[in-house]
Amino acid sequence: MRAIRVAPLALLGASALTLIAPSTAFAAPDGASSTFNPTITPSVIAPGGRVTLGAGGCTGETTVSSGIFDTATIPSGSTSATATVDTDARRGAVYAVTFTCGSTGTSRNVNLTITGGATSSPTPTATPTTVPTASSTALVPGGVRGGLGGSSGSTGTVEVAAGAALVVAAASGALYFARRRNADRRH
């Protein structure tokens, strides 16, 4: 009887540990927690284009540097700034953009891809190995070509009738076996 009372507490404890464990993924290398998540929008751009630099999670001033635009500063209390990509940026290249949060000293890299060029896939440029890389969502030029997912055409009467018949058959079968089981218990 005591095991029945302890089981829910053990399950609750295991659930709590499972929910707490993912927070260690956001711990900085020095053990301090960091939610600094820089972004670049759009992450794929033509030379001469303007990008929006985001400093999510940094409460202080953020310095943003790269070889393809002038160093930008996101002031404390603001979450974004803009920068213009140099017109001589190499087409088809991927550049590392370094975000440094002034309040925590945390630095992260986000990749910025320059559109066009002779290469079929972007070639990464040299990036520092000691700085962790943050992920960003790349916007695909021209959009995504997805399927219709079963939404094309219309549902005919035959399909609706067949689906209804299957539902009725399943419900009738479940009811039949439930009554049969009750009848067997009485005898």
Side-chain angles (χ1 to χ4, degrees):
M1 203 59 165
R2 180 168 166 80
I4 292 174
R5 285 186 240 144
V6 173
L9 291 175
L11 184 60
L12 182 63
S15 298
L17 285 175
T18 303
L19 293 173
I20 292 172
S23 65
T24 59
F26 293 104
D30 60 0
S33 95
S34 174
T35 58
F36 181 45
N37 187 25
T39 58
I40 299 177
T41 307
S43 62
V44 177
I45 193 157
R50 290 184 63 88
V51 292
T52 300
L53 309 167
C58 181
T59 57
E61 182 177 273
T62 302
T63 305
V64 185
S65 60
S66 179
I68 58 168
F69 56 77
D70 295 333
T71 300
T73 301
I74 302 172
S76 179
S78 180
T79 57
S80 65
T82 59
T84 303
V85 175
D86 293 340
T87 55
D88 62 346
R90 193 175 69 203
R91 293 185 174 272
V94 177
Y95 290 91
V97 178
T98 304
F99 290 77
T100 305
C101 178
S103 60
T104 63
T106 305
S107 291
R108 298 201 190 276
N109 280 351
V110 178
N111 290 332
L112 179 61
T113 304
I114 307 302
T115 60
T119 58
S120 60
S121 63
T123 54
T125 58
T127 59
T129 56
T130 58
V131 180
T133 301
S135 64
S136 66
T137 305
L139 299 176
V140 179
V144 176
R145 296 180 184 252
L148 295 175
S151 63
S152 65
S154 61
T155 306
T157 330
V158 174
E159 287 90 359
V160 171
L166 288 173
V167 169
V168 168
S172 298
L175 184 63
Y176 170 77
F177 285 112
R179 286 189 176 182
R180 183 175 163 190
R181 187 172 177 190
N182 282 341
D184 288 343
R185 285 186 180 172
R186 290 185 209 159
H187 289 67

